[in-house]
Amino acid sequence: MEDVLDVYQRPYDPLRPVVCLDETNRQLIEKRRIPLKPGSPGREDYEYRRCGVADLFAAFEPLACKGGVKLTHTRTAVDFAHFLRKLVDIHDSRCEKIVLVMDNSNIHSIASLHKAFEPAQARQIIQRLEIHYTPIHASWLNMAEIEIGILSRQGLSQTLSSFELIARQVNAWTLQRNAVCSTVHWRFFIADARCTPQKLYPVIF
């Protein structure tokens, strides 16, 4: 825990940007509308049709007040590897290393890069990364999880039936949030961790 909190206390450094990563998914659902009748309000049937799942990979740079979301049809190690490569490509010309904060999901490892790319290319991407994992059962320490929660409430609260619709909604939300420089003001630091979850620390007699 203290490792991640220590990263959050670093001052902004454009050469070593701190980027939080996380992902989620959304069920695509088409609701069945009951035909309108004169004088009657619009109604929806309780039945619906499943239209698949859209997976969302989110990157959030809190000190730069910006983020991005990539939509995929699957959530695999290869999808995650391509997301990392895109992240490295975006920062390629302006930083030495990208400081990543993410949870211990099964695909969140450098092994995913070797599944997607040749060894030399995978190694090149790995050398650009400094990875910090949140503890098990403490993914709430990942600021990207907060951003996904905000996206869910502000941009994905309604039912969407297609990949194209959710992509349009996510892109509009991302552009608007970046335009106003929205960010997360983190208020939980190492001193707070040592006082609050004391059971996580050893007792020395």
Side-chain angles (χ1 to χ4, degrees), residues 75-82 106-119 121-123 126:
R75 177 194 171 277
T76 66
V78 173
D79 293 316
F80 177 70
H82 283 284
N106 61 326
I107 63 172
H108 291 175
S109 70
I110 59 176
S112 296
L113 292 165
H114 287 283
K115 290 182 179 179
F117 308 114
E118 294 294 328
Q121 186 179 10
R123 183 62 181 168
I126 292 166

Side-chain angles (χ1 to χ4, degrees), residues 1-10 99 101 130-136 138 140-142 186 188-202:
M1 179 184 294
E2 291 194 8
D3 176 58
V4 173
L5 295 178
D6 184 61
V7 170
Y8 287 165
Q9 289 186 284
R10 296 180 186 180
V99 182
V101 175
E130 177 190 326
I131 300 175
H132 298 264
Y133 290 105
T134 60
I136 298 175
W140 55 271
L141 287 169
N142 187 350
W186 192 258
F188 187 77
F189 302 111
I190 292 176
D192 303 304
R194 292 175 181 173
C195 293
T196 306
Q198 293 183 8
K199 64 181 180 179
L200 299 179
Y201 291 83

Side-chain angles (χ1 to χ4, degrees), residues 15-19 84 87-89 91-92 95-100 128-131:
L15 297 180
R16 302 180 74 89
V18 175
V19 180
L84 279 187
L87 184 68
V88 169
D89 290 343
H91 289 82
D92 184 61
C95 70
E96 298 169 353
K97 277 187 180 289
I98 301 171
V99 182
L100 295 183
R128 299 291 312 285
L129 305 175
E130 177 190 326
I131 300 175

Side-chain angles (χ1 to χ4, degrees), residues 110-201:
I110 59 176
S112 296
L113 292 165
H114 287 283
K115 290 182 179 179
F117 308 114
E118 294 294 328
Q121 186 179 10
R123 183 62 181 168
Q124 186 178 23
I125 296 172
I126 292 166
Q127 289 177 329
R128 299 291 312 285
L129 305 175
E130 177 190 326
I131 300 175
H132 298 264
Y133 290 105
T134 60
I136 298 175
H137 307 307
S139 62
W140 55 271
L141 287 169
N142 187 350
M143 290 194 211
E145 190 171 282
I146 299 173
E147 278 293 287
I148 287 176
I150 297 171
L151 168 60
S152 297
R153 293 190 298 273
Q154 294 182 348
L156 301 176
S157 58
Q158 70 273 46
T159 300
L160 298 170
S161 60
S162 71
F163 192 88
E164 291 72 22
L165 284 174
I166 195 171
R168 191 183 311 157
Q169 198 77 355
V170 168
N171 289 338
W173 178 87
T174 302
L175 289 173
Q176 189 276 335
R177 192 156 174 82
N178 287 338
V180 298
C181 297
S182 297
T183 189
V184 172
H185 298 285
W186 192 258
R187 291 291 183 267
F188 187 77
F189 302 111
I190 292 176
D192 303 304
R194 292 175 181 173
C195 293
T196 306
Q198 293 183 8
K199 64 181 180 179
L200 299 179
Y201 291 83

Side-chain angles (χ1 to χ4, degrees), residues 56-71:
L56 298 85
F57 288 85
F60 176 55
E61 193 177 341
L63 296 181
C65 304
K66 63 181 180 181
V69 181
K70 178 183 179 183
L71 270 71

